[in-house]
Amino acid sequence: MVLEATMICIDNSEWMRNGDYSPTRLQAQVDAVNLICGAKTQSNPENTVGILTMAGKGVRVLVAPTSDLGKILACMHGLELGGEMNMTSGIQVAQLALKHRQNKKQQQRIIVFTGGPVKYDKKVLVAIGRKLKKNSVALDIVNFGEADNAKPEKLEAFRAAVNNNDSSHIVHVPPGPNALSDVLISTPIFTGDGDGGSGFAAAAAAASGMSGFDFGVDPNVDPELALALRISMEEERARQEAAAKKDAEDAAKQEKEGEQASSSRDVTMADPASGSAHQVSEKKNELMDDETALLQQALAMSMDDTRSSGLAMGDANMSDTTSDGQELAFALQMPVQENAKDSSNQSEMNRVLGDQSYVSSILNSLPGVDPNDPSVKELLASLERDSEPQQKNKEDKPDDSGDN
């Protein structure tokens, strides 16, 4: 890596207001200067860069040679435009600034931007060029903007006077769609001499599509960075392949699950169609069994109700007969009264009631009835009293009919 101290001379004359270089000549020049400063400071930590202007009220040093890139970029804001470019004075001030550099081992270089016309004669420029060559100062010239035919010739003679072992360069940038900085990226002014320039320059060249190295890094300049970028790229490629393989497996798995689900759905739909008759017959059998069971249960319940009602009625009759003899007498008297109304059955009922042994056997056969009960005996006695007059009347009636 080249160890250099560089002074950049900026043209801030009235000609820099033109817009033939986007957005203006001054702004295009500022962008190119920023890139060159970054490339110089990145190529070697000990490199220094200074900035001066060649127009306006006079030559003005914005910043002395320094390695602080932030300080260099900050001085570019708010540049004043006006006047004409004083190139010879600017180069002499730049040479003086480089002469007082702190590190004497740094090589000296001056980069001049000329966007306006050059009013000096060729002899003056050649003399300045020989002086620079005597002091071992290299010179790079960036020629852009409108100019007469004499300007390129003067600048070529100037560079030839300074050049020593092709250490000095000149670049002519015509107006066009390309930015000034994009054109300078591929030139030795930006990349430097010898080993191809810095990593910053190589990265910028890769961004512009002008680098032939993989990842925009020259392995000869920075082998560790090139190796790290290659490993990172391989890891990223492997990760992408693994992700693509996983996505393919997931898609195949989902497709297989969908086929299984559809087949199971078809089987489920076919089973009810084939076994519907069997299910209907089973349901009929179950309904018949349920109806039979319900019928048997109803019969059993009715039989139980009949038995319970019969037992309840028997118990009620027994309790009524034993508890109240008058009710029994009333029950026995009612059929007698009803039979007495019937003349055809009157004699038969009198005969039955007149038979004391028959009535006693009936009373003994009734459950819960005591023949020795006074109420029962009184009832029987009253029946005998009622039957005797009726029997006498019966016996007397035939006699009365015969007498008549």
Side-chain angles (χ1 to χ4, degrees):
M1 297 181 182
V2 180
L3 180 61
E4 286 185 339
T6 305
M7 284 296 296
I8 300 177
C9 302
I10 298 176
D11 185 1
N12 60 331
S13 62
E14 290 289 343
W15 299 86
M16 297 301 102
R17 299 181 188 274
N18 294 349
D20 51 352
Y21 293 84
S22 178
T24 62
R25 290 186 182 185
L26 180 63
Q27 188 60 44
Q29 186 179 191
V30 169
D31 294 339
V33 170
N34 291 337
L35 280 177
I36 292 174
C37 292
K40 295 294 183 180
T41 55
Q42 291 293 326
S43 63
N44 195 313
E46 296 183 5
N47 284 354
T48 57
V49 180
I51 306 293
L52 63 82
T53 57
M54 297 183 295
K57 296 180 180 181
V59 178
R60 177 186 174 190
V61 177
L62 301 179
V63 59
T66 178
S67 59
D68 188 355
L69 183 60
K71 187 176 181 180
I72 297 170
L73 299 178
C75 73
M76 302 292 293
H77 297 286
L79 292 178
E80 296 180 359
L81 297 177
E84 295 183 356
M85 177 183 61
N86 190 350
M87 189 173 65
T88 58
S89 297
I91 291 174
Q92 291 176 355
V93 173
Q95 180 185 0
L96 184 61
L98 292 175
K99 184 177 180 181
H100 293 86
R101 65 190 183 281
Q102 295 180 355
N103 188 356
K104 300 301 181 179
K105 294 182 179 180
Q106 292 175 331
Q107 297 182 9
Q108 304 173 79
R109 181 175 295 274
I110 298 175
I111 300 176
V112 180
F113 285 84
T114 60
V118 178
K119 63 181 181 179
Y120 302 100
D121 293 337
K122 184 189 299 184
K123 295 181 180 180
V124 176
L125 296 176
V126 170
I128 295 173
R130 290 175 180 175
K131 185 178 180 180
L132 293 176
K133 183 178 180 180
K134 181 180 179 180
N135 293 321
S136 301
V137 178
L139 178 66
D140 292 333
I141 301 174
V142 179
N143 179 26
F144 67 100
E146 298 178 358
D148 53 10
N149 296 329
K151 180 181 178 182
E153 184 180 357
K154 293 178 182 180
L155 296 177
E156 288 288 348
F158 188 23
R159 185 197 70 86
V162 180
N163 189 23
N164 184 16
N165 296 326
D166 293 332
S167 61
S168 299
H169 311 89
I170 185 171
V171 177
H172 302 280
V173 183
N178 295 328
L180 181 62
S181 57
D182 294 340
V183 176
L184 294 178
I185 284 176
S186 59
T187 63
I189 296 176
F190 186 80
T191 58
D193 295 328
D195 54 10
S198 64
F200 182 90
S208 299
M210 299 180 181
S211 176
F213 301 110
D214 294 337
F215 316 112
V217 177
D218 186 0
N220 298 323
V221 177
D222 197 345
E224 295 181 356
L225 178 60
L227 179 61
L229 291 174
R230 187 178 295 107
I231 293 174
S232 177
M233 180 62 69
E234 291 177 356
E235 291 178 353
E236 179 66 17
R237 188 180 295 109
R239 186 189 66 79
Q240 292 179 358
E241 291 177 356
K245 184 178 179 181
K246 184 178 179 181
D247 294 339
E249 291 178 355
D250 294 341
K253 185 177 180 181
Q254 291 178 359
E255 184 178 358
K256 185 176 180 181
E257 290 178 354
E259 292 177 355
Q260 292 179 355
S262 61
S263 60
S264 62
R265 193 180 301 110
D266 294 340
V267 172
T268 305
M269 293 176 65
D271 287 343
S274 61
S276 59
H278 180 66
Q279 292 180 357
V280 170
S281 61
E282 288 182 354
K283 289 182 179 180
K284 289 182 178 180
N285 294 332
E286 291 178 358
L287 292 174
M288 292 176 65
D289 295 339
D290 294 340
E291 291 178 356
T292 304
L294 291 174
L295 182 58
Q296 292 178 356
Q297 186 177 2
L299 291 174
M301 291 176 65
S302 63
M303 292 175 67
D304 293 338
D305 293 339
T306 304
R307 291 175 183 174
S308 61
S309 61
L311 293 174
M313 290 176 66
D315 294 339
N317 292 331
M318 290 175 65
S319 60
D320 293 339
T321 305
T322 54
S323 62
D324 195 357
Q326 294 179 358
E327 292 181 359
L328 177 59
F330 180 72
L332 293 174
Q333 189 176 6
M334 284 183 66
V336 173
Q337 293 176 358
E338 290 177 357
N339 291 330
K341 294 178 181 180
D342 191 359
S343 59
S344 62
N345 296 329
Q346 186 68 34
S347 60
E348 185 178 358
M349 181 60 66
N350 292 333
R351 183 176 60 82
V352 172
L353 293 175
D355 191 353
Q356 296 296 328
S357 63
Y358 179 71
V359 174
S360 297
S361 65
I362 290 174
L363 293 175
N364 290 329
S365 64
L366 293 174
V369 179
D370 188 5
N372 298 322
D373 190 359
S375 60
V376 174
K377 290 181 178 181
E378 183 179 358
L379 177 59
L380 292 175
S382 64
L383 292 174
E384 289 179 358
R385 287 193 298 269
D386 293 337
S387 61
E388 287 178 356
Q390 291 178 0
Q391 187 175 4
K392 288 180 179 181
N393 292 329
K394 184 178 180 181
E395 291 176 353
D396 293 337
K397 282 182 180 180
D399 293 337
D400 295 336
S401 62
D403 292 338
N404 294 332

